[in-house]
Amino acid sequence: MNPQDLTLLTYSDFKSLLPWRSQWEELAQDNPMLGFVWQLNWWNAFADSERGVGKQLVVALLLDSDKNLAGIAPCYIAATSTAR
């Protein structure tokens, strides 16, 4: 796979990721914790908790030259303060 043939997309909410759900589930194979539904439920529980305050979801999708899903990186950005 040539890196120049790859496309990186980023999303900040799971609703926008719905078109990728079936390919995401295929990549997760038989590991439910890597699947779309698990990640969606984890984010919903985490974001609504005290630990989720100030966190912004970021999901990076890597597409191959045929625009098929080749990789997924669900992450979050945490706002931090340097004030003391």
Side-chain angles (χ1 to χ4, degrees):
M1 191 177 304
N2 186 341
Q4 295 159 330
D5 294 334
L6 300 176
T7 303
L8 181 66
L9 304 174
T10 58
Y11 294 88
S12 59
D13 63 89
F14 272 94
K15 184 177 180 180
S16 299
L17 289 160
L18 285 173
W20 298 103
R21 181 179 176 170
S22 63
Q23 287 189 52
W24 184 326
E25 294 295 346
E26 282 180 44
L27 281 178
Q29 297 178 353
D30 294 330
N31 189 336
M33 293 175 63
L34 299 177
F36 180 90
V37 173
W38 183 282
Q39 295 293 319
L40 169 64
N41 288 329
W42 174 84
W43 176 253
N44 286 337
F46 178 78
D48 289 342
S49 74
E50 186 177 308
R51 294 180 58 197
V53 173
K55 310 278 192 311
Q56 173 62 47
L57 177 70
V58 178
V59 179
L61 302 183
L62 190 63
L63 308 182
D64 65 17
S65 60
D66 295 325
K67 303 303 180 210
N68 293 312
L69 195 55
I72 308 161
C75 309
Y76 64 83
I77 297 173
T80 59
S81 174
T82 56
R84 294 183 186 241

